[in-house]
Amino acid sequence: MMKIWHHVPLIIFTLIIPGVVFSYGLNYQGDLTFLLWHLLVGGAFMGVASLHLSKPTATFRTVKNILSSWFSKEAVIFILFFGGIIFQLTFPELRGGGWRFAIFCVGLFGVISTINLYSQSGSIRKWPVVIDFLGEGVFICSVFLLVMWRSGVVNFDSVIVVVLLNLGIIVKLIKEMILGISQYVYTKEMYWQVMSWGMVLICGLFLSQRTFHLFFYPLLFCSSVLDRLKFFLRMERTSLQLHIQEIRKVYLPEKYRQYF
Amino acid sequence: MGKYYWIFNLDRCIGCESCVLACKQEHNTLPGIQYRRLHIVNPELYPEFPTYRISIACNHCEDPACLKGCPVNAYRKRNGIVIHHPNECIGCRYCLWVCPYDAPQYSKQKRKVEKCDLCEERLIRGLEPACVSACPTQALELVEHLDSSIQGNVLTSISGFPEDETQVKLRLKGTRRIDGVQGFSKRRER
């Protein structure tokens, strides 16, 4: 259990913060409530992320190795991203399209830093991490949109909202299918999980929009959390252990493989 | 400036774990922390498949992934030795993920990472590292430079092992090779 609890701050961080960045870019409405909502949600989960350190009070020191460490780059870039939102809140003239695009690009580079940070582990392949993190980011963005829309933070025309919500679901479906079919998932169990989610989602497309959203969003969010937990548990397995297993697989004569 | 290389002889290692124990004793590490570990390939002793024991600690790489990845610069290189500074460490454990050889170890009690320092104090006093001096079969050696006589007999790349992205300073010796060229593949062809 200790192993799982240790990963919780990072699971939340890696799911929510890319979602905040994509939500800022895709659902943008430059009013005070929208910006404040993103700042508070993003800031709160940035704070939660520091809890995975042994010394959360020393989080500010993570910016020291910015030239070579993706961890430092990630910290600095997200500080810039949320700093940009604070500037937009303070100066209304900075809420225009150019500033929005610049701040979104900063956030996007932060997400790329996060992807680079986790894909450097020898126990995980790089490109599934890229697909996974970007896909989950777009999906969580649509979760935010649903929450903001229902609570009246955004006032989009309902057609745009439905299109954006379904975009999130479709991106998640495609992501799960790519990782599932190619079997580049992080654990064997995840292969069956993603395949069954794909089937459930296809069935769900025949339901009404309201039932679909209210029923599937909580389920899909739980699946995202579970996937990310398995991702971090895979990271716990060191690359050397995996390589030694690989040696056994390659060189062990066929007749002994049944014992594994 | 010294550049240390581990030389590990696969033929000589008998798996007694003296190196592991000597390292624990030298550094007085807490339970669960091992700077040096013994990995066994084919521990079940299946016939037709040789058993190898590979003793691995920090390889003090030329281009260490831990040093590049550490966000707080807790790792420094001194005389070819990668040194971890516990006072700088904030316990993010990122070095554990990026090191291909599992060298950094996280201590739950100290809430910090620890790793092999090549027994730097012993080296200053002119002694060998504890693991090297404890090895009864001289399977483990530490050399300052790879001269031509050593270079001719060691394996530079090891199939199935982590790719040498960090320019690792571990060289394996032995006739029973694990690179699938001389040992296993010929045996399997028969």
Side-chain angles (χ1 to χ4, degrees):
Chain A
M1 280 307 277
M2 277 303 288
K3 261 188 176 178
I4 292 174
W5 285 114
H6 158 66
H7 294 304
V8 168
L10 283 180
I11 291 168
I12 294 170
F13 174 80
T14 55
L15 280 175
I16 300 292
I17 298 296
V20 169
V21 172
F22 283 115
S23 172
Y24 177 87
L26 295 176
N27 310 329
Y28 189 79
Q29 284 197 334
D31 60 345
L32 191 74
T33 327
F34 176 87
L35 293 171
L36 204 60
W37 198 88
H38 279 74
L39 182 67
L40 290 178
V41 171
F45 287 108
M46 280 278 280
V48 167
S50 69
L51 295 177
H52 87 280
L53 303 174
S54 298
K55 285 184 184 174
T57 49
T59 311
F60 65 93
R61 275 164 44 192
T62 56
V63 301
K64 278 170 80 174
N65 195 9
I66 191 167
L67 289 179
S68 64
S69 171
W70 282 106
F71 197 127
S72 300
K73 287 186 183 108
E74 182 198 38
V76 170
I77 291 162
F78 281 128
I79 288 168
L80 287 176
F81 174 72
F82 289 111
I85 296 181
I86 292 172
F87 265 96
Q88 283 192 314
L89 278 167
T90 320
F91 306 104
E93 62 270 23
L94 300 183
R95 293 176 195 171
W99 282 99
R100 169 206 173 181
F101 182 70
I103 293 170
F104 174 60
C105 286
V106 171
L108 207 56
F109 190 53
V111 177
I112 292 166
S113 305
T114 309
I115 291 168
N116 274 306
L117 176 67
Y118 292 107
S119 59
Q120 277 185 328
S121 164
S123 52
I124 284 174
R125 286 187 177 90
K126 186 162 186 167
W127 73 261
V129 181
V130 177
I131 293 176
D132 188 12
F133 277 54
L134 292 179
E136 287 295 347
V138 174
F139 169 68
I140 300 293
C141 157
S142 71
V143 175
F144 283 156
L145 179 63
L146 186 71
V147 175
M148 289 191 295
W149 182 46
R150 292 280 177 197
S151 55
V153 176
V154 292
N155 301 307
F156 285 125
D157 182 63
S158 62
V159 178
I160 299 172
V161 170
V162 168
V163 168
L164 284 173
L165 287 178
N166 288 338
L167 177 75
I169 300 264
I170 288 164
V171 167
K172 183 167 171 74
L173 175 65
I174 293 170
K175 182 215 96 175
E176 302 273 303
M177 282 303 195
I178 291 173
L179 293 182
I181 291 167
S182 61
Q183 295 199 23
Y184 282 134
V185 281
Y186 307 119
T187 59
K188 266 185 186 171
E189 300 78 44
M190 274 176 78
Y191 169 72
W192 296 108
Q193 185 190 329
V194 294
M195 292 307 281
S196 49
W197 269 118
M199 297 308 292
V200 170
L201 274 172
I202 290 167
C203 299
L205 290 174
F206 296 102
L207 297 172
S208 72
Q209 283 294 316
R210 187 182 163 79
T211 320
F212 185 77
H213 293 147
L214 291 180
F215 181 65
F216 279 106
Y217 266 101
L219 277 178
L220 284 174
F221 186 75
C222 291
S223 109
S224 299
V225 173
L226 200 64
D227 284 1
R228 204 45 65 81
L229 173 66
K230 285 179 177 171
F231 170 82
F232 279 106
L233 289 179
R234 168 82 178 188
M235 298 264 288
E236 287 271 320
R237 293 182 67 194
T238 54
S239 49
L240 194 62
Q241 287 168 2
L242 294 171
H243 280 292
I244 285 180
Q245 271 187 9
E246 202 63 31
I247 291 175
R248 292 160 63 100
K249 269 188 207 164
V250 171
Y251 296 120
L252 198 68
E254 195 73 45
K255 59 182 175 183
Y256 299 120
R257 290 189 195 169
Q258 56 178 305
Y259 300 115
F260 286 95
Chain B
M1 183 177 281
K3 279 189 173 183
Y4 298 101
Y5 289 84
W6 292 113
I7 309 284
F8 183 70
N9 193 320
L10 292 161
D11 289 347
R12 285 185 182 173
C13 180
I14 53 170
C16 65
E17 299 204 37
S18 297
C19 50
V20 178
L21 291 172
C23 177
K24 271 195 86 72
Q25 201 168 17
E26 176 69 22
H27 296 283
N28 200 16
T29 54
L30 293 166
I33 305 288
Q34 288 185 345
Y35 297 168
R36 177 166 285 283
R37 278 146 293 118
L38 193 76
H39 293 279
I40 306 175
V41 183
N42 189 17
E44 297 89 354
L45 301 171
Y46 289 120
E48 302 172 25
F49 180 63
T51 298
Y52 293 99
R53 298 166 194 91
I54 304 163
S55 172
I56 287 192
C58 175
N59 293 311
H60 301 275
C61 309
E62 280 292 332
D63 189 17
C66 53
L67 189 143
K68 283 203 292 190
C70 178
V72 293
N73 279 333
Y75 289 89
R76 314 265 164 76
K77 240 186 151 177
R78 193 163 60 214
N79 297 331
I81 307 172
V82 181
I83 304 278
H84 178 257
H85 292 267
N87 292 340
E88 300 279 326
C89 182
I90 56 168
C92 68
R93 278 162 272 194
Y94 186 52
C95 48
L96 272 72
W97 291 343
V98 293
C99 174
Y101 300 94
D102 314 339
Q105 303 275 303
Y106 182 71
S107 167
K108 280 180 188 167
Q109 289 89 345
K110 294 179 185 170
R111 295 167 68 85
K112 279 177 185 175
V113 168
E114 299 173 17
K115 73 176 266 303
C116 158
D117 62 352
L118 210 66
C119 294
E120 198 187 17
E121 285 180 17
R122 287 175 63 97
L123 288 177
I124 291 168
R125 284 188 277 143
L127 299 169
E128 289 176 320
C131 50
V132 174
S133 60
C135 181
T137 58
Q138 294 181 329
L140 191 63
E141 292 173 72
L142 186 79
V143 293
E144 281 208 30
H145 298 285
L146 285 179
D147 56 33
S148 55
S149 63
I150 298 171
Q151 267 177 332
N153 294 325
V154 295
L155 307 174
T156 47
S157 66
I158 313 155
S159 166
F161 251 62
E163 285 171 24
D164 195 12
E165 288 169 358
T166 56
Q167 297 176 43
V168 65
K169 291 201 278 184
L170 167 74
R171 298 290 183 270
L172 298 182
K173 260 179 160 179
T175 50
R176 297 187 303 174
R177 292 165 65 155
I178 58 164
D179 61 355
V181 179
Q182 288 193 345
F184 292 106
S185 54
K186 278 188 179 173
R187 190 170 288 206
R188 287 180 69 187
E189 275 167 22
R190 272 189 253 131

